[in-house]
Amino acid sequence: MSAKKLGFGLMRLPSLDKNDSSKIDIELTKKMVDVFIERGFTYFDTAWMYCQFQSEPATKEVLVDRYPRDSYTLATKLHADFIKTEEDRDKIFNQQLEKTGVEYFDYYLLHDVGVSHYEVYGKLDCFTWLKEKKEQGLVKKMGFSFHDTAEFLDKVLTEHPEMEFVQLQINYLDWESEKVQSRKCYEVAVKHGVPVIVMEPVKGGTLANVPAEAEQLFKDCHSDWSASSWAVRFVASLDNVMMILSGMSSLEQMFDNTAYMADVCPLNEEEQSIIQKATDIIKNYVAIPCTQCEYCIDGCPQNICIPKYFSLYNKEQQKTENIFALKENYNELTKEFGKASDCVACGQCEAICPQHLPIIENLKKVAEDFEG
């Protein structure tokens, strides 16, 4: 497997403020970019709203202003929730060129194509628009990211055979999930002959910090493999995967990922068996399968830090940390953010959540556990 198949996902960048992802630690990110490129990796993935709209400007500062254009590959995306007219397409695209400082994008995606967003992209003729951008040389490869059923993916790829790649959420925890349908979506892409870019291989960090029982399984087999490397190796074993995105937020993660991805081999039968056992263990611990993407935060009228509350709730359910310490953490967060009980059930968060989580009901569970 080529080392070039590891991509640097610029959604979970290191932050100077643990409660504000927009305050990116630029100097640390520069060091991470340097390690990434020095070790032979070139693919960078950003988007319009990542890091509360600051990922694209940071990309210019840490990458574009510091390296020649032919030394890296850059991908970004257009999201349906931010376009209301056909004019909005070019307005955002031109701003993205300006914010990143490039003259063209190597890969450009229609973001989170699902039933409702597909209607928007169709109504505003975004597929034709994207094709025109490629013809103008402003986009080299066109595709889309996807969070929906395999049946719907089959419909999209059938109606738009011009799409050159699809970005799918694939990881071993979601592989047989009826909600995410990782395996089924992957198989649809294979059927259409469309290469896959993998997102969420570590499921927002969930598979980097696995329960002790699963961790022991991994260590007994390979004492020097990190839990996250098992997750990335799983998707790296799939034949139709052209790129694997890893959202790294520390130098430690960067060194680990670039080390084993320099020469990674497909998992053997025994290792695949261990993955399955670990999957069964982890499923018993993850109460809310949130990937910490933070899409739900922007626009919340009550300023509720939903992903952080869900993380605390999962830890409480796992009984791996002291409940009093978790409640203290929760109380500290509520000094800056709205409480879980402040939710007014407007539904904004559920409309944009790529995991299609019942966020409103889950916030009620958080309130019951941490405010009761």
Side-chain angles (χ1 to χ4, degrees):
M1 176 176 173
S2 170
K4 293 182 179 180
K5 287 190 177 181
L6 174 67
F8 191 172
L10 305 174
M11 182 170 74
R12 300 182 180 92
L13 295 174
S15 177
L16 296 171
D17 182 344
K18 65 180 181 179
N19 294 326
D20 188 347
S21 63
S22 69
K23 296 180 180 177
I24 298 166
D25 188 333
I26 295 295
E27 293 309 309
L28 177 53
T29 305
K30 285 180 180 179
K31 293 177 182 178
M32 294 171 66
V33 168
D34 292 343
V35 171
F36 191 74
I37 289 181
E38 287 168 6
R39 294 192 169 193
F41 300 87
T42 62
Y43 192 100
F44 294 83
D45 174 87
T46 184
W48 177 249
M49 79 279 255
Y50 284 179
C51 299
Q52 299 182 52
F53 303 91
Q54 294 307 305
S55 178
E56 288 176 330
T59 300
K60 181 178 188 299
E61 194 169 352
V62 303
L63 175 68
V64 177
D65 288 347
R66 302 172 63 239
Y67 286 92
R69 184 64 183 91
D70 60 358
S71 67
Y72 60 84
T73 301
L74 183 60
T76 194
K77 312 171 187 74
L78 178 74
H79 199 290
D81 286 343
F82 299 95
I83 53 174
K84 305 301 179 187
T85 66
E86 291 188 358
E87 289 72 26
D88 288 341
R89 303 170 308 180
D90 280 327
K91 181 180 179 181
I92 288 180
F93 186 88
N94 291 335
Q95 286 185 51
Q96 289 177 306
L97 289 173
E98 182 179 353
K99 287 166 70 176
T100 58
V102 297
E103 295 180 350
Y104 65 90
F105 295 110
D106 300 280
Y107 289 76
Y108 198 86
L109 299 83
L110 299 181
H111 203 166
D112 191 10
V113 172
V115 174
S116 59
H117 289 165
Y118 190 58
E119 291 179 2
V120 175
Y121 292 133
K123 178 181 178 181
L124 299 180
D125 202 17
C126 290
F127 286 91
T128 300
W129 169 84
L130 183 52
K131 185 178 179 181
E132 291 171 350
K133 285 286 180 276
K134 180 179 179 180
E135 292 169 351
Q136 294 164 8
L138 297 172
V139 169
K140 302 301 181 183
K141 295 284 185 179
M142 53 186 184
F144 61 94
S145 62
F146 186 83
H147 291 279
D148 214 303
T149 67
E151 181 180 6
F152 190 69
L153 177 60
D154 190 44
K155 170 183 169 66
V156 176
L157 289 176
T158 298
E159 294 178 356
H160 293 283
E162 74 276 14
M163 291 292 102
E164 298 170 281
F165 65 94
V166 60
Q167 189 162 302
L168 300 174
Q169 177 172 320
I170 301 178
N171 56 71
Y172 66 77
L173 195 62
D174 292 326
W175 186 243
E176 296 295 349
S177 166
E178 274 306 308
K179 191 167 188 177
V180 180
Q181 299 189 6
S182 284
R183 176 182 59 78
K184 291 181 178 179
C185 286
Y186 171 78
E187 290 173 350
V188 167
V190 170
K191 184 184 81 170
H192 285 270
V194 177
V196 171
I197 294 177
V198 172
M199 57 182 161
E200 302 294 357
V202 192
K203 200 170 174 65
T206 297
L207 304 183
N209 300 288
V210 298
E213 189 179 348
E215 179 78 21
Q216 193 59 51
L217 277 175
F218 293 152
K219 292 302 181 185
D220 287 345
C221 184
H222 293 289
S223 60
D224 58 336
W225 287 14
S226 65
S228 60
S229 79
W230 277 87
V232 178
R233 290 171 197 269
F234 173 80
V235 294
S237 300
L238 300 171
D239 292 335
N240 197 45
V241 168
M242 61 172 280
M243 186 62 59
I244 302 166
L245 303 179
S246 179
M248 296 170 276
S249 55
S250 71
L251 271 173
E252 181 184 13
Q253 293 171 358
M254 178 62 72
F255 281 124
D256 182 38
N257 285 347
T258 53
Y260 67 78
M261 283 298 286
D263 185 24
V264 65
C265 297
L267 296 177
N268 60 35
E269 188 174 333
E270 179 189 1
E271 292 160 347
Q272 290 284 4
S273 175
I274 290 171
I275 285 281
Q276 185 54 60
K277 292 176 182 177
T279 300
D280 294 338
I281 293 169
I282 297 168
K283 283 181 178 178
N284 292 326
Y285 283 91
V286 181
I288 303 175
C290 172
T291 63
Q292 307 290 309
C293 70
E294 297 190 349
Y295 291 3
C296 56
I297 292 178
D298 185 63
C300 174
Q302 301 300 94
N303 190 33
I304 301 172
C305 56
I306 298 167
K308 294 185 183 300
Y309 290 166
F310 286 174
S311 177
L312 290 176
Y313 182 80
N314 279 336
K315 291 177 182 177
E316 191 275 332
Q317 293 295 303
Q318 294 168 13
K319 311 300 181 187
T320 56
E321 295 189 27
N322 186 286
I323 181 60
F324 298 107
L326 292 173
K327 285 191 174 183
E328 183 178 353
N329 195 339
Y330 178 82
N331 289 332
E332 283 298 312
L333 286 170
T334 60
K335 293 177 182 178
E336 184 174 350
F337 302 98
K339 296 180 179 180
S341 61
D342 291 337
C343 174
V344 294
C346 68
Q348 182 274 148
C349 54
E350 293 189 355
I352 201 170
C353 176
Q355 306 303 316
H356 310 294
L357 297 176
I359 294 176
I360 296 169
E361 288 303 312
N362 285 333
L363 283 174
K364 292 178 181 178
K365 295 177 182 177
V366 172
E368 183 178 347
D369 269 29
F370 289 92
E371 297 176 31

